[in-house]
Amino acid sequence: VGTFSPSGVIYRRRVAGGEWETININRNLERADAQCIVSTPRGVYIGFREQGIAFVPNEGAVAYPLHDAMGMIASQSNEPISNDMLLTTLSRGVVRIRNCGSEIEPFASTLPHSGEYAIGSLNNTVFAGLLEGYVLRSTDVGMSWDTLTLQVPYASLRRIRCMNTSVFVCTSEGVWESIDRGDSWTKTFTTLPSQSIRDLHRLQHGWLVQAHDDAYIVSDSGAVTVFRPQGVFEYKPHIIDVAVKGESIYAVGYPGLFVSHDSGTTWKTFTISDNQTLRSVALLKNHLYLSGVRGQIYSVSIADVQ
């Protein structure tokens, strides 16, 4: 089911199920008016009134605008490994960049094909999540792969995060953690109201967890605080990307840049008049670099967002 919505919402429900889940569009469309939906053996195509066509792979959690894939590589996520960078992309699968500005090259021809990938790395161990719900591990930088015991065939894999000695797999049915490089798994963050987790970020004394409908600050003691920036907004504020420095959190999304200097207890909101939604944030020395949904890149000194 497609609806007219400020955020462009597509809903899906299994024939034998009773609950609707939201399919996010891989672009913050300001007004996405779904006109038609066509089902195929590969997935579903959605036609919008003004934004072209988006594709949802079978069991996929994201609708991908096709015009992005036609014109560019359509990068979905990136993961550093050694001196290289791995990219998961819509049009070319998993690729590697060995040097800044060099040509991209295919990564791991032995990795099974999938409509979507989630990639994480822990030193030289690479973890790959496939659309079908399988998690694979390579200890030789993609030369060979082992299928791990964690399999979530009825959940959508959203992100793999490797931090310190732990591997986290974020899915539409919760987060699993492994402290032994994927040999065994334990479900974590089970106290959160929403168990559909898109991403998580390590803070100085806890975690910022991005769920389907909200973001949460989870302290190391287990206390949970819902992300609620002060202010009056036309639509519900949401977080897309996060950068952390000490107790300071720099998050971007709608309607701009959110800054907290007390580990998420309080927030300030900074907006850009010609771009209500920001997609990514990076922290380099004393500057933040922000990207907008229309391709703009901004920079600001962290001293100016105190």
Side-chain angles (χ1 to χ4, degrees):
V1 177
T3 64
F4 175 81
S5 168
S7 58
V9 179
I10 306 296
Y11 295 101
R12 176 175 61 195
R13 190 185 75 182
R14 297 183 183 279
V15 174
E19 296 185 358
W20 292 91
E21 60 177 315
T22 302
I23 304 299
N24 294 315
I25 299 175
N26 191 31
R27 168 162 294 187
N28 288 280
L29 306 175
E30 294 181 354
R31 289 195 178 275
D33 188 355
Q35 297 288 296
C36 61
I37 298 178
V38 178
S39 178
T40 73
R42 293 185 61 245
V44 174
Y45 294 86
I46 301 114
F48 297 102
R49 180 175 181 178
E50 297 177 352
Q51 290 85 11
I53 300 173
F55 175 66
V56 184
N58 289 330
E59 301 295 336
V62 179
Y64 300 104
L66 291 186
H67 53 275
D68 285 351
M70 293 174 183
M72 61 191 77
I73 190 171
S75 173
Q76 295 172 281
S77 64
N78 60 75
E79 178 72 16
I81 176 171
S82 186
N83 294 321
D84 302 340
M85 182 69 72
L86 299 182
L87 301 179
T88 60
T89 74
L90 181 58
S91 60
R92 299 193 190 180
V94 183
V95 298
R96 179 199 304 222
I97 300 177
R98 294 189 180 273
N99 297 290
C100 181
S102 65
E103 293 291 328
I104 64 171
E105 61 184 56
F107 173 73
S109 60
T110 56
L111 182 63
H113 174 74
S114 176
E116 298 176 30
Y117 295 93
I119 291 286
S121 66
L122 195 60
N123 297 325
N124 285 325
T125 301
V126 180
F127 299 87
L130 307 184
L131 177 64
E132 295 79 7
Y134 295 96
V135 180
L136 284 65
R137 175 182 62 192
S138 175
T139 57
D140 51 16
V141 198
M143 296 294 292
S144 60
W145 297 88
D146 300 319
T147 301
L148 303 181
T149 56
L150 177 64
Q151 296 182 19
V152 283
Y154 299 107
S156 298
L157 286 164
R158 305 294 176 81
R159 195 68 185 261
I160 294 179
R161 287 289 191 184
C162 299
M163 305 179 192
N164 297 325
T165 59
S166 292
V167 181
F168 298 90
V169 177
C170 303
T171 79
S172 60
E173 296 184 3
V175 179
W176 277 263
E177 178 186 8
S178 174
I179 59 175
D180 52 16
R181 292 179 179 263
D183 290 335
S184 60
W185 299 88
T186 303
K187 196 169 185 180
T188 185
F189 298 109
T190 56
T191 60
L192 295 182
S194 173
Q195 289 302 303
S196 179
I197 308 300
R198 295 189 290 114
D199 204 351
L200 56 87
H201 308 268
R202 181 62 178 162
L203 307 178
Q204 191 172 43
H205 302 292
W207 301 85
L208 190 153
V209 182
Q210 294 173 243
H212 173 67
D213 294 319
D214 277 302
Y216 303 93
I217 306 297
V218 183
S219 70
D220 287 336
S221 64
V224 176
T225 303
V226 182
F227 168 71
R228 287 288 185 270
Q230 294 183 343
V232 178
F233 309 103
E234 185 176 2
Y235 309 113
K236 182 179 179 179
H238 64 269
I239 290 175
I240 298 176
D241 194 21
V242 177
V244 179
K245 182 178 183 180
E247 292 192 359
S248 296
I249 307 172
Y250 304 94
V252 294
Y254 168 82
L257 170 67
F258 308 103
V259 178
S260 174
H261 296 296
D262 51 15
S263 296
T265 302
T266 59
W267 297 86
K268 290 183 178 180
T269 304
F270 299 87
T271 60
I272 299 175
S273 59
D274 61 344
N275 203 321
Q276 284 194 321
T277 302
L278 301 175
R279 291 194 71 168
S280 62
V281 56
L283 179 60
L284 180 62
K285 295 182 179 180
N286 293 319
H287 276 77
L288 292 172
Y289 294 86
L290 320 169
S291 67
V293 295
R294 299 181 181 88
Q296 303 95 329
I297 298 178
Y298 307 92
S299 68
V300 61
S301 169
I302 59 175
D304 294 331
V305 289
Q306 297 297 318

